[in-house]
Amino acid sequence: MTAGAGAATGVDGSGDGNGGGNGKGRGDRTGPGESSVYENARLQFECAADLMKLDPDIRRILSATTNEIVVNFPVRMDNGRVKIFTGYRIQHNGILGPFKGGIRYHPAVDLDEVRALATWMTWKCALADIPFGGATGGVQVDPAEYSINEIERLSRRFTVALGANIGPDYDIVAPDVNTNPQIMAWILDAYLCTVPPHERQRSRRVVTGKPVESGGSAGRAKATGQGIVRMVEMWAREHGVDPGGLAYMVQGFGNVGAHAAFLMERAGARLTAVQDVSGAIANPDGIDPEELAKHARRNGGHVRGYPGASPIDDLTFFSTAADVFIPAALENQINHRTAPLLKVKVVAEGANGPTDPAGDRILQQKGIDVLPDVACNAGGVIVSYFEWLQNKRGERWDLDEVDGRLRKRMERSYCRVRETATTYRTDWRTAAYIVALERLQTVYKERGIFP
Ligand code: NAD
């Protein structure tokens, strides 16, 4: 069995894989003339820093990553030979608390990408008002090419290679593209083998997004999708629209995209088009997300071939008329080529960095609203924080409690971003950054720079 069918992220977090991207064709993040992902993150930061007149010293600090860990580590393959893999952990900023962020397995993982993802995590935690800093890690690997046992050995060796660079009160990891609760359980188990026995109980919170039985939180698997749907509902209410009457399209049908679709369906909205790494499908009368998820589970995580919809090409996908577009795959998907095609009213960013600066400009010109990633997809890290807190306190919260607390935080973020956008007369992405930067600036000013 290959990891594509077993280790990549399942829509239910159970380990039924999506097969991952292949880093080519539809998997590409950048194309000719497109800027790097980190350059995009930097430009977004500069724009907000200029507008709010961020203190120049604090600006210098926040422009740099704090620690950049690169590890080359060996993994024994099923054929008995050893292969060397490259992994990363970038810790962008820790002024608000321990570093926090996902671990991604993808062939396109490189320094540029993880720097951007780590930076976005800093803004996301600051905006959500949770006491974490920003980090992200990953391994340059296409999990679809490896067996489940090889992915387990890779996950464990990567953890050991990171060593003391992660820790329960230092840097806490979580799932991201092509990683899932099972992989988090292996990372946790390997990490615990590296600490003294009396440290093991308190160390379990080094990983969030664990299986519930291994100390995970109720509601973590759906949390990112749930946060996105709450943001869309808030947007709909403000625009006098019934969420139940919305038509929407989703790019990426993994953890984030599928859970967002399940919850949009529950709100009565109609899913009209889906794209994943295997291709795109559409049905103007509606696609049943639960049925599609069953189909994907049987097909290596892929939506292609779903009998309840017709195959469409990528350009047709982006041109589909709908109210809401939820990108939930990779970076740079809404760009100078695809943004002109979009016929939606709002983009609810489930993925990190799905819109590049050229895409942003085009969306603004077209009057398409954007619920920016650092606000819209924060549900995952918010419930990761709840999981970390439960582990720290030896508590177990029930689903209602988790859902209720998540809902309040998403609503608070939405309102703060809206108010800031009004105050500064700016777009919502810049406003979201300003909320985060104001908080970071306050803490730097209070604490000062030593010596
Ligand atoms: P996942 O691995 O579960 O799913 C990724 C999906 O994207 C798959 O359906 C895959 O087929 C699809 N995909 C990959 N390349 C594609 C391409 N080029 N075009 C179209 N589809 C493509 O990953 P996930 O955890 O759902 O993460 C998706 C996005 O959401 C990422 O940007 C991630 O950083 C972000 N995110 C995830 C979480 C989380 O809790 N998992 C939280 C916040 C943000």
Side-chain angles (χ1 to χ4, degrees):
M1 181 168 81
T2 65
T9 309
V11 292
D12 58 357
S14 66
D16 292 315
N18 58 44
N22 58 12
K24 301 186 186 75
R26 192 178 289 108
D28 280 356
R29 280 182 288 105
T30 53
E34 284 172 26
S35 51
S36 82
V37 190
Y38 186 52
E39 179 65 10
N40 295 347
R42 219 185 44 74
L43 287 171
Q44 293 162 348
F45 164 71
E46 300 283 339
C47 177
D50 284 346
L51 189 59
M52 67 175 287
K53 300 187 177 33
L54 183 67
D55 177 286
D57 287 336
I58 297 168
R59 185 177 179 136
R60 251 171 243 125
I61 294 168
L62 293 174
S63 297
T65 54
T66 301
N67 300 308
E68 301 197 336
I69 300 121
V70 183
V71 290
N72 296 311
F73 58 98
V75 179
R76 192 167 300 282
M77 299 286 102
D78 289 343
N79 66 8
R81 306 307 299 259
V82 162
K83 202 168 165 175
I84 303 294
F85 290 87
T86 302
Y88 304 88
R89 187 72 183 169
I90 306 300
Q91 295 158 341
H92 173 255
N93 187 279
I95 187 89
L96 298 180
F99 299 110
K100 180 84 186 81
I103 297 275
R104 176 176 292 197
Y105 290 173
H106 195 277
V109 164
D110 59 12
L111 255 185
D112 181 86
E113 181 177 63
V114 279
R115 274 182 186 142
L117 291 165
T119 306
W120 286 321
M121 281 305 293
T122 301
W123 315 146
K124 200 182 297 184
C125 293
L127 170 62
D129 200 10
I130 52 182
F132 285 145
T136 291
V139 179
Q140 202 175 76
V141 58
D142 182 354
E145 291 176 3
Y146 298 92
S147 75
I148 189 96
N149 292 329
E150 287 169 332
I151 291 296
E152 177 178 352
R153 289 196 292 274
L154 177 146
S155 303
R156 291 179 182 276
R157 276 310 291 237
F158 179 45
T159 309
V160 172
L162 287 177
N165 291 299
I166 58 173
D169 295 309
Y170 178 59
D171 186 352
I172 301 129
V173 306
D176 191 75
V177 172
N178 287 332
T179 57
N180 59 17
Q182 172 61 79
I183 290 174
M184 293 305 111
W186 291 328
I187 291 177
L188 172 65
D189 189 66
Y191 180 81
L192 293 182
C193 291
T194 69
V195 300
H198 64 275
E199 292 283 332
R200 289 194 186 138
Q201 272 319 313
R202 74 162 200 95
S203 297
R204 286 197 311 169
R205 60 182 190 274
V206 67
V207 174
T208 60
K210 304 180 281 289
V212 174
E213 303 77 12
S214 294
S217 176
R220 173 60 183 89
K222 67 180 170 85
T224 309
Q226 188 164 345
I228 295 165
V229 174
R230 190 63 206 132
M231 287 259 160
V232 171
E233 286 171 345
M234 300 276 289
W235 175 89
R237 201 173 62 189
E238 276 203 333
H239 289 77
V241 181
D242 170 15
L246 294 173
Y248 69 104
M249 50 198 269
V250 175
Q251 184 195 45
F253 202 69
N255 174 283
V256 176
H259 280 291
F262 298 154
L263 295 164
M264 288 290 283
E265 175 80 7
R266 211 178 290 167
R270 182 167 41 99
L271 175 60
T272 53
V274 182
Q275 186 200 43
D276 75 357
V277 73
S278 70
I281 55 171
N283 182 347
D285 296 329
I287 297 169
D288 181 338
E290 298 280 357
E291 289 302 315
L292 181 60
K294 281 185 204 154
H295 167 84
R297 272 196 287 274
R298 289 190 297 266
N299 287 278
H302 295 150
V303 301
R304 189 182 47 207
Y306 176 61
S310 313
I312 52 170
D313 62 33
D314 293 341
L315 292 185
T316 310
F317 171 77
F318 280 99
S319 312
T320 305
D323 300 296
V324 185
F325 177 32
I326 304 176
L330 299 176
E331 304 89 337
N332 285 358
Q333 299 298 306
I334 302 174
N335 51 41
H336 67 281
R337 287 189 306 263
T338 56
L341 305 175
L342 287 177
K343 297 192 188 81
V344 296
K345 299 191 178 80
V346 61
V347 173
E349 293 186 337
N352 287 304
T355 310
D356 76 5
D360 253 334
R361 278 192 296 277
I362 295 166
L363 295 183
Q364 274 175 38
Q365 283 157 11
K366 293 178 73 163
I368 297 176
D369 290 344
V370 175
L371 301 171
D373 49 6
V374 292
C376 192
N377 72 28
V381 73
I382 290 171
V383 176
S384 276
Y385 169 53
F386 297 162
E387 178 176 334
W388 183 83
L389 267 186
Q390 289 171 72
N391 292 166
K392 196 174 160 89
R393 298 174 178 170
E395 292 176 358
R396 277 245 187 243
W397 302 353
D398 63 25
L399 187 58
D400 282 350
E401 177 157 10
V402 172
D403 284 353
R405 287 179 184 237
L406 170 62
R407 187 186 164 101
K408 256 193 229 148
R409 281 181 184 265
M410 295 305 298
E411 289 172 0
R412 210 187 306 153
S413 285
Y414 184 98
C415 295
R416 285 207 67 190
V417 174
R418 187 197 43 209
E419 281 158 21
T420 309
T422 308
T423 307
Y424 282 89
R425 296 167 187 268
T426 190
D427 62 278
W428 279 44
R429 188 184 312 286
T430 307
Y433 273 51
I434 290 175
V435 176
L437 294 176
E438 279 174 347
R439 179 156 184 238
L440 287 154
Q441 173 160 260
T442 301
V443 178
Y444 269 110
K445 286 200 164 158
E446 283 167 359
R447 284 173 51 174
I449 312 284
F450 177 81

